[in-house]
Amino acid sequence: MLILRWLAFTLGALVLCALGFVGWVYAASEAHFRSFSAPSAFTHPIPENEASIAHGARLALTRGCYGCHGAALQGEVMWGNVQTPNLPALARTEPPAAFESAIRHGIGHDGRALYSMPSYNFVRMSDQDVAALIAFLRATPVSNEAPPGDLAPWFERTRGDFMIRLEIAKGADGAMPRFLNLGPPLSQQDNPDQRIARGEYLAMTSCNECHGMSLRADYPWPSNAPDLIVMSAYNQDAFTRLMREGVPSSGAELPMMGPVARGRFVHWTDEEIADLYAYLTDMSRRAVEAESPD
Ligand code: HEC
Ligand code: HEC
């Protein structure tokens, strides 16, 4: 009898400890999620004309929103446990400032830090482009194909969420707002060669997603994408082919860059490809010069 009581007591104490631990992890991470200060409210007007909406549509294509938010931007499951929201639906309930805050600052509409939304990639996006993107999302029909919140199995989502919280409790944290300022500010916007200025803007709001904060394979996390100093080996025709067909100068099949180019970069205009080429070759020339002894 005594043994049974003792066992029940120990078991109860263990359960209480586990609950206490989980509760503490939740409370500490919840406070942490909300500890990033919100940006000042985005007040740029949202255009309604067709040209701006079409421009926003191309931004969504070239910046890869579809890759994570789904073929109709309706939200989907990434990596088995991360749920992306339905963007056209959210655009109808949340004000533009909430969208800008998520896109450029990594803070969601509920004021909590985002984790897997790559805002470090969009932090240099212009007010005008952010407004065009929002205009496009507002004009995009809401797809009911996959209602947000219902996709990932509950257990998987909860587990994914708890792993992030556990990391925070351990003092390691991947909140998106922490990465925003790792990339350099744009440096070529006053370059007299306007192609270089425009190309820098395009590269630093798209290629920087995978090729490094300053396109030099300089990330605090592992990535297979090379330092874009390799652009010194590309002539304009070869680069155009890489953007349009996903095939590099070597002719090899690129497992990641190939599909990314065919899905996203085919939507660049000819002028945008020429601008990117001008900037990237100039950047790699400057990088090679800086690294050579004299
Ligand atoms: C690498 C994947 C990825 C890409 C690319 C991506 N997103 Fe997201 N996005 C996410 C994930 C995951 C979330 C949800 C939560 C999080 O970040 O932890 C999210 C959340 C959001 C939110 C909502 C935040 C909120 O709760 O208020 C908005 C708005 C958003 N994304 C817009 C965009 C737009 C616009 C683009 C393209 C310019 C884009 N996303 C590209 C993964 C991505
Ligand atoms: C979603 C990630 C991603 C994005 C975005 C991306 N790349 Fe890549 N890129 C890669 C990866 C990964 C490789 C290495 C080859 C592979 O695994 O496909 C690569 C390879 C390359 C190469 C080398 C090809 C060769 O000759 O072997 C060049 C040049 C390149 N990318 C240019 C760009 C440019 C320019 C942009 C922006 C317009 C860009 N990439 C955007 C992931 C990306």
Side-chain angles (χ1 to χ4, degrees):
M1 255 351 239
L2 202 63
I3 280 223
L4 273 186
R5 253 206 254 165
W6 185 83
L7 263 181
F9 175 78
T10 317
L11 207 68
L14 278 176
V15 168
L16 274 181
C17 274
L19 282 178
F21 175 72
V22 170
W24 171 74
V25 167
Y26 264 80
S29 53
E30 214 41 58
H32 182 75
F33 287 147
R34 292 173 198 279
S35 67
F36 297 90
S37 51
S40 53
F42 185 63
T43 52
H44 194 281
I46 306 302
E48 283 174 4
N49 62 75
E50 284 199 10
S52 302
I53 292 173
H55 178 59
R58 256 174 12 85
L59 287 167
L61 284 165
T62 53
R63 272 39 172 213
C65 314
Y66 291 88
C68 299
H69 287 274
L73 299 175
Q74 80 280 20
E76 64 180 24
V77 182
M78 285 166 43
W79 311 320
N81 58 25
V82 179
Q83 169 94 51
T84 58
N86 183 324
L87 295 181
L90 206 62
R92 282 161 176 77
T93 58
E94 296 305 321
F99 265 73
E100 187 271 343
S101 162
I103 295 169
R104 279 199 300 207
H105 308 276
I107 296 180
H109 66 281
D110 54 6
R112 295 159 95 237
L114 299 172
Y115 275 69
S116 311
M117 163 70 192
S119 305
Y120 69 87
N121 185 211
F122 309 125
V123 68
R124 308 286 171 223
M125 199 178 263
S126 68
D127 288 355
Q128 216 183 348
D129 278 359
V130 170
L133 202 45
I134 296 173
F136 161 69
L137 294 173
R138 283 177 155 187
T140 303
V142 178
S143 161
N144 296 319
E145 236 175 87
D150 274 5
L151 285 164
W154 175 86
F155 177 75
E156 279 306 308
R157 269 187 286 138
T158 308
R159 193 173 64 89
D161 180 66
F162 191 72
M163 293 321 275
I164 288 180
R165 292 175 187 269
L166 202 57
E167 286 298 300
I168 296 171
K170 287 195 295 196
D173 176 31
M176 189 46 63
R178 297 186 47 208
F179 298 110
L180 301 181
N181 292 318
L182 292 184
L186 300 181
S187 65
Q188 301 298 312
Q189 295 305 292
D190 296 325
N191 194 312
D193 186 341
Q194 278 302 293
R195 294 172 314 157
I196 292 180
R198 289 191 301 259
E200 179 191 39
Y201 174 75
L202 296 173
M204 293 299 282
T205 55
S206 63
C207 319
N208 60 332
E209 180 187 344
C210 304
H211 285 277
M213 290 292 179
S214 54
L215 309 176
R216 304 292 316 276
D218 52 341
Y219 276 137
W221 55 80
S223 165
N224 290 333
D227 183 340
L228 281 188
I229 200 167
V230 300
M231 279 297 297
S232 55
Y234 272 77
N235 64 30
Q236 186 146 1
D237 284 346
F239 180 65
T240 304
R241 184 166 180 226
L242 177 68
M243 292 291 106
R244 293 264 177 256
E245 298 168 34
V247 180
S249 48
S250 66
E253 173 58 32
L254 301 177
M256 178 141 194
M257 185 64 196
V260 168
R262 291 187 290 270
R264 286 168 56 171
F265 302 142
V266 286
H267 300 283
W268 293 131
T269 61
D270 291 339
E271 194 198 25
E272 284 173 330
I273 292 183
D275 291 346
L276 276 166
Y277 182 74
Y279 167 70
L280 291 168
T281 46
D282 185 64
M283 180 210 88
S284 57
R285 181 189 54 76
R286 280 184 284 115
V288 171
E289 271 172 21
E291 277 163 30
S292 57
D294 55 312

